[in-house]
Amino acid sequence: MSEPDTCSAKSCTAPAVHALLWRNPKIHTPERRKAWLACPEHRESLGTFLGSRGFLIEVVEHQPGADHTV
């Protein structure tokens, strides 16, 4: 059995529940999507970080294997 995907927050080992889809519009094309994974505790702080830079596209439920970088 494989290990669950974990939160992208520094030093967090909690299972990921959310996928924060983002791109840097200065360097990525509009169809590009990158994903940070988040546990419930870090969803807001990671979203705030990405949102304040204009990078956040959307937050979706994490589906293992479905929200990798595109």
Side-chain angles (χ1 to χ4, degrees), residues 49-64:
F49 179 88
L50 292 169
S52 69
R53 287 155 180 78
F55 294 177
L56 187 62
I57 299 168
E58 68 178 318
V59 178
V60 297
E61 180 181 344
H62 171 54
Q63 299 292 325

Side-chain angles (χ1 to χ4, degrees), residues 17-57:
V17 176
H18 308 283
L20 290 80
L21 304 180
W22 66 278
R23 74 170 164 270
N24 180 338
K26 291 182 181 178
I27 62 173
H28 298 130
T29 60
E31 59 278 347
R32 178 76 188 253
R33 299 285 190 275
K34 297 184 73 127
W36 278 2
L37 302 180
C39 66
E41 181 180 347
H42 292 110
R43 184 259 171 258
E44 186 173 343
S45 62
L46 291 173
T48 298
F49 179 88
L50 292 169
S52 69
R53 287 155 180 78
F55 294 177
L56 187 62
I57 299 168

